[in-house]
Amino acid sequence: ILPLLFLALAAQAFDPYYTAFHAQPLKNWCNDPNGPMFINGTYHLFFQYNPDGYVWGDMHWYHMKSKDLLHWDHLPVALAPDKDYDCGGIFSGSATIVEGSPVLTYSVQCGESIAIAVPKDPNDPDLKEWVKPDSNPVIHRPNTTQNFRDPTEAWRGEEDGLYRMIVNCDEGTCLFKSENFVNWTYTGIMWPTDAGFQECPDFYKLPGTETYVYKGSIQGQEWWLVGEYKEVPGLNALDKFVNTSADVLFNNQRYDMGTFYASKRFFDPVKNRQVLFAWVNYHCNDTDWAGVQSFPRIVLPNPAKDNSIITYPI
């Protein structure tokens, strides 16, 4: 860890454009935030990373940690495309706390499956090393879709205790259920849409409400809608989600109007809030890096408008 600290200090000292409060790699390309989480007193953030240069390619997961979401420490790269099923690169995904331990879920460049990774040493406070279990890949692409990637954080049913996870497909949100986070059953399209394939979906409940938010990344913009979610117990049963706001692509229902894409949020138990990050595609001439993670934001109900949300910097 110490060599990474020295490199970070050097980057800030010799590069006037290197940021102070935005998570970013020491150099090279980064894009989508992946797997933000809080565990054992520390915030963790992963994101898409090219170790070979400051243009897109050869996707890995970079890893950083923080105590306050403002000051970030660099950790070793968490995930590399070192298995046959990684088929081209480690694409976007999420983190879920399963029985007290984090599990990373990720998609792959060829779009054929979803895989998982777990800490090599769950007692390591920095979670520096991750391993891919022999059970991988844990989900295969349904034959009804060609596009298939970007799993959400999983959640557990209040009635049946089953894990649930969304992966976006051509016709909407493909819902999967599992008893053990290894064997997953495809239940169908929970929220169908004709808006086209949407990257980096998110699905979450606003704390203190019964309102659920769905977000899809479409053509460089972060579109959201709010609605009502109903759990339908059973491994093969399809849960229900009905939007109560306008659909995506309508009413300017976007997190941001600027360069802000592929967002990923997580629940922060410290302050009982939903916090999100997004990718800011940004490059300065004569620098060896491109892209930063946005300043973290809180997602809240909009007090001035029903069926609407707002975001604020933390």
Side-chain angles (χ1 to χ4, degrees), residues 30-295:
C30 79
N31 54 288
D32 309 2
N34 300 143
M37 63 178 170
F38 178 84
I39 188 167
N40 297 331
T42 300
Y43 296 100
H44 293 262
L45 177 64
F46 307 83
F47 46 83
Q48 298 280 280
Y49 170 67
N50 179 7
D52 302 319
Y54 61 86
V55 294
W56 185 93
D58 193 20
M59 288 292 95
H60 292 53
W61 275 27
Y62 203 86
H63 185 191
M64 302 188 77
K65 67 171 185 174
S66 175
K67 289 295 185 182
D68 58 7
L69 296 174
L70 301 176
H71 304 86
W72 293 93
D73 296 325
H74 299 266
L75 293 167
V77 170
L79 299 178
D82 53 10
K83 301 291 185 182
D84 289 344
Y85 53 76
D86 292 332
C87 56
I90 309 291
F91 270 25
S92 286
S94 300
T96 302
I97 308 301
V98 179
E99 304 297 341
S101 185
V103 178
L104 305 181
T105 51
Y106 67 90
S107 49
V108 293
Q109 185 171 348
C110 68
E112 288 298 320
S113 61
I114 303 299
I116 63 175
V118 297
K120 184 176 182 179
D121 178 7
N123 295 315
D124 174 13
D126 291 333
L127 302 174
K128 294 186 295 297
E129 295 184 79
W130 296 80
V131 296
K132 301 169 184 177
D134 293 339
S135 55
N136 274 330
V138 296
I139 297 176
H140 293 275
R141 175 180 60 85
N143 58 18
T144 54
T145 184
Q146 292 300 311
N147 291 292
F148 184 66
R149 62 179 184 271
D150 307 339
T152 64
E153 177 186 4
W155 70 97
R156 297 192 80 167
E158 295 181 358
E159 295 184 48
D160 58 15
L162 296 174
Y163 293 102
R164 289 148 161 87
M165 181 166 59
I166 286 172
V167 183
N168 262 12
C169 299
D170 290 332
E171 297 179 352
T173 58
C174 286
L175 178 68
F176 296 84
K177 293 183 180 181
S178 175
E179 296 176 333
N180 56 13
F181 221 86
V182 173
N183 305 110
W184 292 84
T185 298
Y186 174 49
T187 68
I189 302 292
M190 187 177 79
W191 179 68
T193 178
D194 57 5
F197 182 75
Q198 300 170 30
E199 299 181 288
C200 305
D202 238 343
F203 185 69
Y204 57 97
K205 185 178 181 180
L206 294 177
T209 76
E210 292 301 317
T211 299
Y212 282 79
V213 179
Y214 167 80
K215 186 276 305 183
S217 301
I218 311 170
Q219 299 177 356
Q221 298 289 328
E222 294 296 275
W223 292 90
W224 56 261
L225 57 83
V226 299
E228 299 174 348
Y229 166 70
K230 178 176 175 55
E231 172 190 333
V232 181
L235 195 61
N236 295 289
L238 180 61
D239 295 355
K240 298 178 181 179
F241 177 68
V242 178
N243 52 297
T244 54
S245 69
D247 205 338
V248 294
L249 302 182
F250 292 93
N251 285 1
N252 280 327
Q253 291 174 177
R254 288 174 280 180
Y255 284 153
D256 194 283
M257 303 299 175
T259 304
F260 190 91
Y261 193 61
S263 66
K264 181 63 65 176
R265 59 85 244 163
F266 75 103
F267 177 69
D268 177 10
V270 178
K271 295 189 176 182
N272 190 38
R273 58 187 181 177
Q274 297 284 5
V275 178
L276 68 84
F277 294 87
W279 166 42
V280 179
N281 188 2
Y282 178 77
H283 174 69
C284 295
N285 292 333
D286 301 319
T287 63
D288 59 359
W289 54 270
V292 299
Q293 302 303 307
S294 70
F295 197 82

Side-chain angles (χ1 to χ4, degrees), residues 15-28:
D15 181 353
Y17 301 108
Y18 194 88
T19 64
F21 297 106
H22 292 266
Q24 67 177 111
L26 293 168
K27 63 178 183 178
N28 298 338

